[in-house]
Amino acid sequence: MRSLIVNNIVSLDGFYADENGNPVVLTMDQAFDAYNLERLRSAGTVLLGRTSFEGFGGYWPFVADAPQEATNRALSQDNREISRIYNSIPKVVVSDSLEVPAAHPWAATTTVIGRGDVGQWLAHEQRNGTGDIIVFASRLMWNGLLTQGLIDELHLTVSPVALAAGQPLFLCPIELSLMEARAFPGSGNVLLRYRPAST
C-alpha cells in the first residue's frame, strides 16, 4: 500500500507563508533541501495543486543543467538532483481547469485530474505502482484531502521563524499523532512527522 505523504515547511507559529503569500520568508536552508531530496528519492509520484505546479514548473526543470555558481545554494548538488527527479517522475495535478501546454518541460510526465476525481485516483494508485505519493506545497489541495481522511502522513519542517500573521498551514481542526522528531545539524529547522490520529 503506497502512502500519501504531505511534505511542507511551516513557521513556528503555524503559517505556510506570509500575508503576501510568500513562503521564502521561512528557513529554506541546506537541511530543508536535503530532506526534500530524501522524500523525492522515496517517491513514485508527486501530487500537486495547480498553483504549486505552475510555480515549480517554471523553476525546477532548469536547475539541473544551469551554469555552475559555486556560491549559489540554489544550484547545489542536492537541488540539481531534485531537478533531475522532478523532470522524470510522474506528476499529477489536481485541477478542474489546467491544461498543460505541449511545450511545457513537464508535459510528457504530467497528468491532470479533476478535484472530484482525486479520491478515486488515490484509491487506485495506493494499491498499484511503487514509491510514496508525495505532496509538496499545495496547501489548499491537501487540506481538502485531509478533511476526507485521505492523508497518511504529514512531514512538517518547522522553521525557527514566527510570522505573527500570514497564511495558516491548516484550514481545519485536526488531531495528529507524532511519529518522529528530528533535528538537523547546523540548522534551526526541526522535522516533525505526524500521522492523522484517525488514520
Side-chain angles (χ1 to χ4, degrees), residues 9-163:
I9 191 168
V10 60
S11 72
L12 191 62
D13 51 351
F15 293 104
Y16 172 89
D18 68 14
E19 291 178 294
N20 298 315
N22 179 17
V24 182
V25 295
L26 303 176
T27 310
M28 298 183 183
D29 60 4
Q30 185 175 359
F32 173 75
D33 298 339
Y35 191 70
N36 286 340
L37 176 56
E38 181 182 326
R39 294 273 43 92
L40 272 170
R41 284 172 173 166
S42 73
T45 306
V46 173
L47 180 65
L48 298 168
R50 176 175 184 156
T51 300
S52 294
F53 172 80
E54 290 176 338
F56 289 7
Y59 175 79
W60 282 112
F62 315 105
V63 172
D65 299 319
Q68 292 289 340
E69 293 182 34
T71 60
N72 187 349
R73 185 189 61 77
L75 299 177
S76 68
Q77 290 306 306
D78 280 355
N79 282 325
R80 290 182 188 276
E81 184 175 350
I82 287 172
S83 174
R84 287 191 290 271
I85 294 174
Y86 267 134
N87 287 343
S88 61
I89 197 169
K91 291 162 286 291
V92 175
V93 184
V94 179
S95 174
D96 290 333
S97 58
L98 178 66
E99 294 184 12
V100 181
H104 192 287
W106 288 348
T109 57
T110 300
T111 302
V112 179
I113 60 173
R115 286 179 292 180
D117 300 324
V118 67
Q120 183 177 357
W121 175 85
L122 275 171
H124 176 268
E125 289 298 313
Q126 288 184 297
R127 289 172 172 79
N128 294 277
T130 58
D132 297 326
I133 302 168
I134 301 293
V135 179
F136 292 99
S138 308
R139 174 185 66 121
L140 298 179
M141 183 271 289
W142 68 252
N143 266 277
L145 299 180
L146 187 64
T147 62
Q148 299 175 60
L150 298 176
I151 302 294
D152 296 304
E153 297 180 21
L154 293 125
H155 295 198
L156 305 181
T157 298
V158 180
S159 174
V161 174
L163 298 180

